[in-house]
Each structure stands twice: as structure tokens, then as C-alpha cells.
């Protein structure tokens, strides 16, 4: 498991945030080229996992299918089971890909893994930039242009005027987090 600490920040501060990352004493550099992230989230008909997140449940699960760049690249994606235990997160992968969105909608996960009904409920998309510290212990992702769409109606639910910044690092590196955090111009 690794730490995954998220901040929801104002889009107005994008330039300030990027400067703080670039000028940080941990010497962050670009880790990958920017890309578009596409997700389809699955949930129970009662939206149990959604409400776990909304209520701040420290132990929660989510299932998503993720692929990158153009929406037509859906066949290059992966199923991910994300487990959250307080600020620690873990990811497991299910080896399953799809040639179309319709195939994905019809998918029924293995009953041994999910012994209850789940279905696609939310589609979201955003631009992501990736940063890594010089010692490679800390990664920062910066998500902008967030959109959310209902999977059943394909109607745009929301366009988020926020930036999501996430800091990711291994459990044993938590001792350095306060030092990293004190040079960032925002708090949780």
C-alpha cells in the first residue's frame, strides 16, 4: 500500500501550483507526457461505493475501467480495484479488456470477486500531468478539465472548475512528507 493524499484546488491557482512543483526543493521533473485519462466507474444499484466516498468512509473500495487518450482507445484499458484504508491506497488489476463501450456495459464481473450486482454508473475524463521527485520517492499528479457523465443517459453531469493534485509515495517515505508539504502553497 502507498500513501495517496489529494487536494482539491482552485483552477485560478494553476500557475502558482505548477511553479511550486517546479521550484520545490525535492526537484520535481516531468515523469511522463501529459495525457487524457478516461474512467468508467462501477457501483452497486444503490451506489454504495459512491456514498462510502461521499461520507468520508476511511475504508472504501471502487472499481473502474481506465484507459488513456482518445475515447476510441477503450480496448487498451484495464479494470482496477482500488482499496483505500485511511490515507493508504492499493490497486489490483483484473485482466479484461473491451473492444467497445457496449461490451463494457454488458460486462458482469466475476461473482467470486464481487458477489453482488454492480453496473457502470459514472464516466469521467480529465487531463493529467505527472511529476516525480529527483530521488523518485514522491510522485505528483495534477488533474485539470474534469468532466463527469452519467453512463445510462450519456448526459454531462458536471464540469469541475477545480484542480486535483495528488501526492503518492510509499509507506516508508511518510517521514519525509512534512518536509515536502511545507514548500507547497496549500493545505488539505
Amino acid at each position: 500500500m502507498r500513501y495517496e493524499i489529494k487536494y482539491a484546488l482552485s483552477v485560478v491557482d494553476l500557475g502558482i501550483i505548477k511553479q511550486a512543483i517546479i521550484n520545490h526543493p525535492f526537484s520535481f521533473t516531468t515523469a511522463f507526457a501529459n495525457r487524457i485519462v478516461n474512467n468508467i466507474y462501477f457501483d452497486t444499484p444503490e451506489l454504495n461505493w459512491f456514498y462510502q466516498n461521499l461520507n468520508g468512509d476511511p475504508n472504501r473500495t471502487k472499481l473502474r475501467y481506465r484507459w488513456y487518450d482518445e475515447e476510441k482507445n477503450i480496448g487498451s484499458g484495464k479494470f482496477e480495484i482500488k482499496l483505500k484504508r485511511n490515507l493508504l491506497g492499493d490497486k489490483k488489476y483484473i485482466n479484461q479488456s473491451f473492444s467497445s463501450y457496449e461490451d463494457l456495459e454488458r460486462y458482469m464481473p466475476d461473482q467470486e470477486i464481487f458477489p453482488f450486482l454492480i453496473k457502470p454508473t459514472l464516466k469521467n475524463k480529465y487531463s493529467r500531468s505527472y511529476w516525480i521527485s529527483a530521488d523518485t520517492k514522491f510522485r505528483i499528479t495534477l488533474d485539470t478539465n474534469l468532466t463527469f457523465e452519467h453512463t445510462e443517459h450519456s448526459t454531462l453531469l458536471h464540469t469541475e472548475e477545480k484542480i486535483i493534485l495528488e501526492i503518492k509515495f510509499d509507506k516508508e517515505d511518510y517521514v519525509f512528507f512534512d518536509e515536502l508539504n511545507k514548500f507547497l502553497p496549500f493545505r488539505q
Side-chain angles (χ1 to χ4, degrees), residues 44 64-65 77-78 150 154 171 183:
T44 66
R64 70 179 172 215
Y65 185 77
K78 296 183 188 183
H150 194 286
S154 293
K171 256 168 67 167
F183 291 99

Side-chain angles (χ1 to χ4, degrees), residues 102-138:
E102 291 74 24
D103 289 344
L104 178 62
E105 281 186 310
R106 288 191 292 272
Y107 175 70
M108 294 302 294
D110 186 332
Q111 291 295 304
E112 289 182 28
I113 299 172
F114 296 103
F116 42 83
L117 179 64
I118 60 171
K119 63 179 188 165
T121 54
L122 179 73
K123 180 178 178 184
N124 85 323
K125 180 179 180 176
Y126 46 87
S127 302
R128 174 169 278 182
S129 58
Y130 302 82
W131 307 81
I132 191 161
S133 62
D135 63 5
T136 70
K137 291 182 180 187
F138 292 90

Side-chain angles (χ1 to χ4, degrees), residues 3 13 17 32 35 54 71 104 112 119 128 152:
Y3 280 96
D13 299 331
I17 294 164
F32 305 106
R35 57 187 176 177
L54 200 62
E71 289 190 43
L104 178 62
E112 289 182 28
K119 63 179 188 165
R128 174 169 278 182
E152 286 183 19

